[in-house]
Amino acid sequence: MTILRHLLAILLLPFVMVVVVPHWLLRGWAMSDTRWAQGTTSALAGDLAGAVVFLLGFGLFAWCISLFGRVGKGTLAPWDPTQRLVAVGPYQHVRNPMISSVVTMVFGEALFHGSRVLAIWAATFLAFNHIYFLLSEEPGLERRFGADYRLHKSAVPRWIPRLTPWKNV
């Protein structure tokens, strides 16, 4: 059952943002979007850089999903949230590595395709999430986890990672 809960949350949220929306944008804006000139060094470099960036984002995403299940006893979905505060692993460096991973994957796609439209989508997705986190997510986490979340919030940045991991001692 736990795997199905995670799969549903992934299919309805990050999958739509990383696969469905970019596919729709690439098709809908094909005539005016930028692309690498195939067969060029730029295209090869963009393909390689995009694939590496995407895979880094995907690895971070998988790590976060694992922590949500094992440590938080929940999923990434607002309708099935974690029961415990997750403040280990990448959450010791940045408060929102899940969103960072999704944005990283979309930027990887933008690099891979040489797509200005996908780069704008990644920036837009980050901006909307920033507003959502300020207005809804963070106040909700404070209500659910109280002083533990406030301590984590005061020590760990929202988007730009700390170089050293935060240790809640």
Side-chain angles (χ1 to χ4, degrees):
M1 181 65 176
T2 300
I3 291 174
L4 289 177
R5 288 171 45 212
H6 285 289
L7 187 57
L8 178 64
I10 291 166
L11 285 175
L12 291 177
L13 298 170
F15 183 80
V16 169
M17 300 301 120
V18 174
V19 176
V20 175
V21 171
H23 178 74
W24 175 75
L25 289 171
L26 286 171
R27 290 188 61 163
W29 292 86
M31 298 303 287
S32 60
D33 192 16
T34 57
R35 292 288 195 283
W36 300 120
Q38 292 305 309
T40 65
T41 305
S42 298
L44 180 60
D47 288 351
L48 183 59
V52 168
V53 169
F54 183 90
L55 289 173
L56 288 171
F58 184 79
L60 179 58
F61 174 77
W63 191 7
C64 291
I65 292 292
S66 170
L67 291 172
F68 272 28
R70 287 184 298 111
V71 176
K73 305 298 182 203
T75 72
L76 62 89
W79 62 83
D80 189 14
T82 60
Q83 302 304 306
R84 290 191 243 161
L85 180 65
V86 179
V88 297
Y91 292 89
Q92 293 174 296
H93 296 273
V94 65
R95 288 199 313 265
N96 302 304
M98 177 70 69
I99 297 302
S100 298
S101 71
V102 171
V103 170
T104 301
M105 285 189 280
V106 177
F107 270 124
E109 290 175 304
L111 270 172
F112 185 84
H113 292 285
S115 170
R116 177 184 41 220
V117 169
L118 290 187
I120 292 168
W121 165 237
T124 302
F125 178 78
L126 181 60
F128 276 116
N129 274 281
H130 181 73
I131 293 165
Y132 170 76
F133 271 79
L134 289 175
L135 299 178
S136 180
E137 181 78 8
E138 290 180 357
L141 289 168
E142 284 191 38
R143 282 190 299 278
R144 285 180 33 226
F145 300 116
D148 288 341
Y149 180 72
R150 283 190 293 280
L151 179 62
H152 184 250
K153 183 177 169 183
S154 71
V156 178
R158 183 180 291 119
W159 301 116
I160 309 298
R162 302 168 47 110
L163 294 178
T164 59
W166 173 66
K167 304 271 192 231
N168 184 8
V169 289

